[in-house]
Amino acid sequence: MTYAIRIHEYGGPEKMKWEELPKPEPKPGEARVRHEAVGLNYIDVYFRTGLYKAPALPAIIGMEGAGVVDAIGPGVTEVAVGDRVAYASGPIGAYAQTRCIKADRLVKVPDAIGSETAAAMMLQGMTAQYLLHSTYAVKAGQTIVVHAAAGGVGLILVQWAKFLGCTVIGTVSTPEKAALARANGADHVILTTEDLPAAVKKITGGAGVPVVYDSVGKDTFMASLDCLAPRGYMISYGNASGPVANFDLGILAAKGSLYVCRPTLATYTSSREDLVSCANSLFDVVAKGGVKISVNQRYALKDAAQAHIDMEARKTTGSTILLP
Ligand code: NDP
């Protein structure tokens, strides 16, 4: 048997139930992973509330985990029993002591990286990787805006952008988070109570920035557009404050021929080749010391509801793991 957090209906954190379930057996192409740590991500909140739909209910939520392969199904070539592995992709099902997943979604974790760090870094770190290298490839010397700069993805984005030679303007909601963002390399930190476009114009001598990485969504979307230089890129990659709705494309013309992209990690790691390349790039920057993974919160997996409450209340910083 194994234990997992399941939801039987969408709703608040109280919908998450710690339940005993039969241990799953791997099907062809699948590996079974005994989790040593599970990553907490904002997307888990979207699946719990129903903003994003589970394939069926009841459902085990969660997209990220790290541990040891303890069984493989027929035809698996990517991993073997005993390998230390991690993953950061659907289908959901990570909030469990043990789960099965397609073996081609797993990557082997370097010896220097422990399972807790792996579970903390894969989803948020690979997101930072594709955002900075593919969605909009930043160049040394550019000034960029990163929202929620003390959060999971945010703290990695700030460090990696600095490593690539950018000047980083971060946004955060509290002075404590501002200090954390600065300690991780942010050159300028703007509080969410301040006028962001005015601050960005002042810092850039009126020019604006070539790219904004916006994970907040509804509350910041329009202000983010006003931070951009003509032909700038608005990368809207999350909805922590709610989704952006009913957007008039004509606004992009009026504000200077702007681009908007709504990317997802799933697209950028859909092939095995892209997944492995993205993960290796992340492992490499961590090995070089360009990005340090901050595991700032740890909860027992059975207390995942409390982790969700804290994340939604904006109390978490950096990465959070759930321990099975
Ligand atoms: P974070 O640790 O960044 O937590 C969310 C942060 O958003 C909060 O700490 C808070 O920072 C900020 N925030 C602003 N407004 C709100 C609000 N109304 N309610 C709650 N938080 C708010 O989470 P993650 O690092 O896990 O994810 C960050 C974002 O990136 C999420 O939107 C997530 O969906 C998205 N994401 C997208 C991916 C993709 O491929 N598209 C992949 C991974 C994540 P502050 O208090 O400083 O404002």
Side-chain angles (χ1 to χ4, degrees):
M1 301 299 280
T2 189
Y3 276 86
I5 292 277
R6 288 207 301 182
I7 55 165
H8 292 256
E9 54 184 343
Y10 299 116
E14 74 286 353
K15 301 293 183 195
M16 295 193 284
K17 307 290 183 203
W18 182 240
E19 295 178 344
E20 189 176 27
L21 297 166
K23 196 183 261 192
E25 289 304 323
K27 297 188 184 72
E30 287 185 346
R32 190 171 66 198
V33 182
R34 180 172 49 75
H35 284 146
E36 294 182 327
V38 171
L40 177 78
N41 292 284
Y42 219 91
I43 193 169
D44 306 343
V45 172
Y46 308 146
F47 275 105
R48 192 204 72 222
T49 60
L51 177 65
Y52 297 175
K53 298 291 181 239
L57 292 176
I60 302 172
I61 61 172
M63 299 279 279
E64 178 178 39
V68 178
V69 174
D70 76 353
I72 54 172
V76 167
T77 54
E78 297 85 355
V79 293
V81 170
D83 282 349
R84 291 182 59 244
V85 294
Y87 64 90
S89 57
I92 54 173
Y95 282 21
Q97 291 175 327
T98 299
R99 77 166 298 184
C100 292
I101 188 165
K102 289 274 183 209
D104 65 6
R105 295 286 86 200
L106 296 172
V107 293
K108 292 186 196 173
V109 177
D111 290 344
I113 297 176
S115 289
E116 294 194 3
T117 304
M121 71 193 265
M122 293 302 291
L123 200 148
Q124 295 164 348
M126 290 200 294
T127 299
Q129 201 283 342
Y130 84 75
L131 289 174
L132 291 172
H133 294 87
S134 299
T135 311
Y136 179 89
V138 296
K139 296 183 198 72
Q142 287 181 321
T143 300
I144 70 170
V145 171
V146 173
H147 282 284
V153 180
L155 219 47
I156 299 174
L157 270 178
V158 168
Q159 296 178 74
W160 208 331
K162 286 299 297 174
F163 186 71
L164 294 170
C166 297
T167 296
V168 179
I169 303 172
T171 78
V172 296
S173 62
T174 66
E176 293 75 22
K177 289 184 179 184
L180 184 64
R182 277 200 195 89
N184 281 271
D187 300 275
H188 308 272
V189 184
I190 312 298
L191 290 175
T192 47
T193 48
E194 293 179 66
D195 180 340
L196 178 66
V200 168
K201 291 279 156 62
K202 195 169 167 200
I203 291 164
T204 58
V209 293
V211 62
V212 176
Y213 295 103
D214 187 336
S215 60
V216 175
K218 179 169 66 69
D219 288 357
T220 50
F221 189 82
M222 294 308 289
S224 293
L225 294 182
D226 287 332
C227 295
L228 289 169
R231 295 160 64 180
Y233 284 73
M234 165 63 177
I235 311 300
S236 175
Y237 72 97
N239 347 271
S241 67
V244 179
N246 301 326
F247 179 64
D248 172 5
L249 280 181
I251 291 172
L252 300 179
K255 291 188 184 292
S257 303
L258 304 179
Y259 296 82
V260 173
C261 184
R262 178 61 178 86
T264 76
L265 177 62
T267 315
Y268 284 86
T269 55
S270 62
S271 73
R272 172 110 190 122
E273 191 186 359
D274 286 344
L275 170 67
V276 170
S277 152
C278 188
N280 283 343
S281 171
L282 173 63
F283 294 145
D284 185 53
V285 77
V286 169
K288 285 181 178 145
V291 169
K292 293 193 172 55
I293 304 301
S294 302
V295 184
N296 290 355
Q297 297 77 213
R298 289 178 165 78
Y299 301 82
L301 177 58
K302 66 177 170 46
D303 298 330
Q306 188 60 48
H308 278 221
I309 290 167
D310 292 346
M311 181 170 235
E312 287 182 274
R314 302 161 82 155
K315 287 186 184 160
T316 61
T317 59
S319 302
T320 303
I321 54 169
L322 307 171
L323 297 168

